[in-house]
Amino acid sequence: MTRRGAAQVKTAILGSNWTRGWFLALLAAVGALTFVIFTRTIGNGFVNYDDPTYVTSNPHIQSGLSWSALAWALRSFYAANWHPVTWVSHMLDVQWYGLNPHGHHLTSVLIHSLNVLLLGLILARATGQTARALITAALFGLHPIHVESVAWAAERKDVLNAFFAFATVLLYLRWVDQKTPRSGRAFFWYAAAIVTFALSLASKAMSVTLPCLLLLMDYWPLARIRAPRNFRSCLLEKIPFLLLAGLTSLLTVRAQQAAGAVKDTTLFPLSSRLVNAVVSLIRYLGKILWPADLCVYYPYA
């Protein structure tokens, strides 16, 4: 069986109507359960940490969606970030709900619940393992480590970034399925994946590593890489994604520098930063396994 053939078999496992129907029903139940559990956050108010910057005291957001506000969102390095899609989402919330915090929290809960559905679809389509896909989607949706992103209005950028990143992966999988022969329809899915990736980056720069993830998926579970020639082909496909990631990285550094968030190496030497990165990674993995002592701010140490 060719590597391409292996990928087709994996994604075809969901082909039977019975299997697909049961999987989609159970996945919808997982998404609904996530929504119900997080509805407790809808009754929350705004907090005095970052919410004033992002919503309650931001005049550009309080005016709702307008051409001038949209222009500001595209040009602004406000709050040490460049994330126009996040600003637009807050503007839309003000347009719909005013400054009633319940509506703002409802939007975040809805987006998070949709993320659970997208993740389940990605895993099932890429691996064909429907049971594992459901379990993983449930863990993603209900894990305490995600509470901050959903319950805190200022963290809208996190759930938005995940939504468009997951949409990018799902569209990429669709393109892989239809890429041979190369047709206009196949190009549509590829172009759509680039657009959603751009929207993900414009929500939060965290997804700059997504092109690397797509390349890893080409190796497993999509089984598209075996020889160096295959690797080069898959790498070339990622060039538009890499260019967008590089541009966003530059914009993010500029935004952080403009806000004074980039500290000199004399204050924080490179060796200290590397050690902190390793410690942070280990502690984050630890909190996934044992989510205790969670907080909104972990001081540099």
Side-chain angles (χ1 to χ4, degrees):
M1 180 181 294
T2 65
R3 302 294 274 181
R4 171 65 185 153
Q8 285 178 325
V9 168
K10 288 176 181 177
T11 55
I13 292 176
L14 294 177
S16 75
N17 291 334
W18 185 88
T19 303
R20 181 186 300 154
W22 271 106
F23 169 73
L24 292 177
L26 291 173
L27 181 60
V30 171
L33 177 63
T34 301
F35 179 82
V36 169
I37 289 177
F38 275 95
T39 51
R40 295 184 59 186
T41 69
I42 296 175
N44 293 347
F46 292 116
V47 297
N48 61 2
Y49 184 44
D50 277 3
D51 281 356
T53 301
Y54 277 81
V55 182
T56 58
S57 298
N58 188 325
H60 301 284
I61 301 300
Q62 291 177 349
S63 62
L65 188 62
S66 64
W67 287 113
S68 60
L70 183 59
W72 170 83
L74 289 170
R75 298 193 306 262
S76 176
F77 285 164
Y78 191 67
N81 283 293
W82 181 81
H83 42 35
V85 171
T86 294
W87 292 130
V88 169
S89 78
H90 287 301
M91 293 173 192
L92 287 172
D93 274 356
V94 172
Q95 193 83 24
W96 294 330
Y97 312 117
L99 290 178
N100 182 344
H102 307 327
H104 294 252
H105 290 304
L106 172 62
T107 300
S108 294
V109 174
L110 286 170
I111 295 173
H112 181 60
S113 301
L114 288 174
N115 289 344
V116 171
L117 301 180
L118 288 175
L119 179 60
L121 291 172
I122 288 169
L123 296 174
R125 188 176 186 87
T127 68
Q129 301 294 326
T130 54
R132 295 176 186 178
L134 289 169
I135 293 171
T136 305
L139 286 173
F140 172 84
L142 303 175
H143 199 287
I145 210 166
H146 280 144
V147 170
E148 176 186 312
S149 298
V150 184
W152 187 11
E155 274 299 284
R156 171 69 56 76
K157 54 184 177 285
D158 197 35
V159 291
L160 266 181
N161 171 269
F163 174 79
F164 288 115
F166 287 160
T168 300
V169 177
L170 198 58
L171 289 166
Y172 179 80
L173 292 174
R174 187 68 181 267
W175 174 67
V176 168
D177 281 346
Q178 300 192 17
K179 188 168 79 79
T180 304
R182 296 179 183 272
S183 62
R185 184 176 181 182
F187 177 77
F188 169 81
W189 298 113
Y190 181 74
I194 294 173
V195 171
T196 52
F197 180 54
L199 293 172
S200 175
L201 293 170
S203 301
K204 187 176 182 179
M206 184 173 62
S207 53
V208 291
T209 57
L210 187 59
C212 299
L213 174 62
L214 296 178
L215 198 59
L216 288 172
M217 290 183 68
D218 285 334
Y219 179 76
W220 185 89
L222 298 181
R224 300 179 67 217
I225 297 176
R226 170 169 286 178
R229 180 171 57 87
N230 301 129
F231 176 78
R232 286 194 299 270
S233 176
C234 290
L235 184 60
L236 287 173
E237 296 166 359
K238 308 303 181 294
I239 287 178
F241 298 93
L242 291 168
L243 290 175
L244 285 172
L247 177 60
T248 303
S249 298
L250 290 175
L251 287 171
T252 302
V253 171
R254 287 279 305 276
Q256 294 280 300
Q257 287 175 334
V262 179
K263 303 302 180 182
D264 191 83
T265 53
T266 57
L267 183 61
F268 295 108
L270 180 60
S271 58
S272 298
R273 298 177 191 226
L274 291 174
V275 170
N276 182 71
V278 173
V279 171
S280 298
L281 177 61
I282 294 173
R283 292 190 65 185
Y284 191 80
L285 291 174
K287 289 185 182 298
I288 292 176
L289 298 174
W290 187 255
D293 299 323
L294 299 175
C295 65
V296 296
Y297 176 68
Y298 299 93
Y300 185 89

